[in-house]
Amino acid sequence: MKQTNGRSDVAILGMGTALPVHSVAQSDIAELIASTLQDRPDLARFARRVFRSCGVETRYTCESNYLDPLEKCRYLNSHDASVIPTTEERMDTYKREALPLGVEAAEKALKDAGMSPDRITHLITVSCTGQYQPGMDVLLIRKLGLSPRVNRLPLIFQGCAAGLKAIQMARDVVSGAPGSQVLLVCVELCTLHFQPVREREALFAASFFGDGASSCVIGQPEAEHRHYVELGTGYSVLLPDSTEDMTWEVGNTGFDLFLSPRIPKLLGTHLEEELRVLLGGDKLPELWAIHPGGRGIVDSVQEVMRLTDEQTHYSREILRTAGNLSSVTIMFVLDAMRQKMKERNEASTEGVAMAFGPGLTAELMRFTYVKAYAPSVKEQDHVLL
């Protein structure tokens, strides 16, 4: 497979995204949580401040219970522990709500790529917010009409970095087996794991996560393809002295998330060196697809890499309008970037994508927005012969 200057003959040929029907204003969630802290006015004030400053205005949830009055909201009830949903109940909701979102995103991606379901050779499914067996991969095959012989690759419990990790896995599959067509589906229902807040650290996680799904088709571009994302080189790296700064564990009332306030500083300390390794001496690209794990993370990347507000606009806009959707989010950012490049009739442009997860893991990848397919020199020589 040809790969020069960080580029390859593998691309995201189509993308699709989906959000639940229930939208919740950030101010409403802040007041809901503050109302549960009437006995802790200091923490209630802190909650309002955190929710105002985290860069989110709207989030989406699959759980209509968050729209109910406080006394009926089981997830955030701090007075009666017996009504808080168990992990089993939350997984039942996940099983019911995840598949329709995944199907919606996948159907959009297949249509965008002009790809019939029977051409898909590999299916990668990604989620860290719910599990069951037979899993979402099996049900997607039936719902989408994929071949029962499709190669299934579930990627589970890897956190926010998993979406970009899966994209790179798909790139490697196609590079190793030319002609493969990979369908990638990410679904995260983060709001199913909200729990009563009694500590400051828990407020950070509650302040910006939402629900959603994203999907893409990855394969080799052909003459009819336009406005696609060519995938370049990339890798995953564990940042030093950060193992305990982001954790995601199974608890009795949902999954328990811890996010250290050190994360933006850690990224600021180590990320520039890793990006220089990724670029291998090439100049900094124009496009930056940054996973908006929170406002502080985007701020840190912008500062250390000396980016303009326009270069971080896509990440901040997704954070503002939908929140952090865990593994799903990076495709929301890439899709928004691609659509804007298409609207502006921009020429092919180099970029870098990045996402972060437990470990502390940084997933990094070069990419190129391509306006229109152009055959490689090797292909041109073949035609002339």
Side-chain angles (χ1 to χ4, degrees), residues 329-364:
T329 326
I330 193 66
M331 270 190 273
F332 269 74
V333 176
L334 285 169
D335 191 39
M337 185 178 290
R338 181 189 63 145
Q339 293 298 336
K340 184 58 69 173
M341 297 290 284
K342 180 179 178 180
E343 291 172 12
R344 294 175 176 174
N345 197 31
E346 297 280 1
S348 296
T349 309
E350 304 286 331
V352 167
M354 63 192 73
F356 315 103
L360 187 64
T361 302
E363 197 76 29
L364 309 171

Side-chain angles (χ1 to χ4, degrees), residues 126 155 158-168 184 186 188 214 326-331 355 363:
V126 180
L155 186 62
Q158 295 293 302
C160 296
L164 188 53
K165 165 66 74 178
I167 289 173
Q168 301 211 68
L184 192 165
C186 302
E188 302 288 9
S214 60
S326 191
S327 68
V328 169
T329 326
I330 193 66
M331 270 190 273
E363 197 76 29

